[in-house]
Amino acid sequence: MAGLGAWHGLNPGMGWLFAVSLGLQNRSRVAIFQAMCAIALGHALSVLAIIGLALVVGQYLPVTWLGLAAALFLAGLGSWRLLRGRHPRWVGMRVSFRDLIWWSCLMTSAHGAGLMLLPVFMLGGGAWCNASSASTFNSVTPWPSFYNSIPGVCLHSVSQFVVAGIVAWLVYDVVGLTILRKSWLNVDLIWSCSLILAGLMILAFRV
């Protein structure tokens, strides 16, 4: 969970680039910190929504069908992002704290970050879903399992916040935006491949 949070934090599409832009616009490191708090909260809300939905649907579908649906959706989203290669633009640069929370929630959902965590919950459900690794989602009641998943989501979101915050600070205060033009890593390509890999993991181990 912490490792995936760190990986999500490295992705500029998850918000650190937006936080840097707001910091430069306001000429304030505090603006970066405030933006990262809102972004981390929105990220957590999106992940909790996906996990909660999966637990509820798991009450009515066999885990094999749930796993197949999740795997196909992850692989399809990753493939679509490989082909499309563009980011949605839903807000301008003048945003409130609440606006930034909703922007982060929407972007996290659009990037499939919550879906990427489903292999962790489905393949290793004992730690987070109040179930043994051999059990299915529909062998446990959804809401106690949802509450048990909250510590894992918090760990994931804190890791995302710390890593994204460090990257934002380094870009703002140390290396500057010039490095983004000179040595840009195609994170979108890696991210899309990660989504496809997560889908294949569910297919390989659960379906």
Side-chain angles (χ1 to χ4, degrees):
M1 293 294 284
L4 283 172
W7 170 227
H8 292 178
L10 286 173
N11 188 344
M14 292 295 163
W16 66 257
L17 189 56
F18 200 167
V20 171
S21 299
L22 290 174
L24 291 171
Q25 182 181 11
N26 294 282
R27 298 181 181 180
S28 170
R29 297 181 189 89
V30 175
I32 295 178
F33 176 77
Q34 291 174 339
M36 286 310 310
C37 288
I39 288 168
L41 183 55
H43 188 93
L45 289 174
S46 174
V47 172
L48 284 171
I50 294 296
I51 298 304
L53 179 62
L55 287 168
V56 171
V57 172
Q59 300 299 298
Y60 306 99
L61 286 180
V63 70
T64 300
W65 287 101
L66 180 62
L68 179 61
L72 291 177
F73 195 89
L74 278 166
L77 180 61
S79 301
W80 177 74
R81 289 187 56 79
L82 279 176
L83 296 173
R84 185 173 183 270
R86 292 186 302 171
H87 286 277
R89 297 180 180 180
W90 294 330
V91 295
M93 291 304 297
R94 292 294 182 182
V95 291
S96 66
F97 190 85
R98 184 178 63 180
D99 293 334
L100 197 51
I101 290 175
W102 286 117
W103 174 87
S104 175
C105 185
L106 290 171
M107 289 301 293
T108 299
S109 302
H111 280 79
L115 289 169
M116 192 183 287
L117 295 181
L118 283 182
V120 178
F121 284 85
M122 296 185 70
L123 303 179
W128 311 114
C129 301
N130 196 28
S132 67
S133 59
S135 65
T136 64
F137 264 28
N138 55 356
S139 67
V140 293
T141 54
W143 299 120
S145 301
F146 177 77
Y147 296 139
N148 288 337
S149 72
I150 291 176
V153 175
C154 289
L155 173 64
H156 171 82
S157 298
V158 168
S159 175
Q160 185 259 353
F161 170 79
V162 170
V163 172
I166 291 174
V167 173
W169 169 73
L170 287 174
V171 173
Y172 178 84
D173 238 1
V174 180
V175 299
L177 292 175
T178 305
I179 194 173
L180 301 180
R181 293 192 294 267
K182 292 183 176 179
S183 55
W184 179 251
L185 176 65
N186 191 346
V187 180
D188 277 342
L189 175 62
I190 303 174
W191 180 264
S192 300
C193 292
S194 298
L195 290 172
I196 296 173
L197 178 61
L200 292 177
M201 285 178 60
I202 297 180
L203 283 175
F205 293 103
R206 180 58 80 177
V207 177

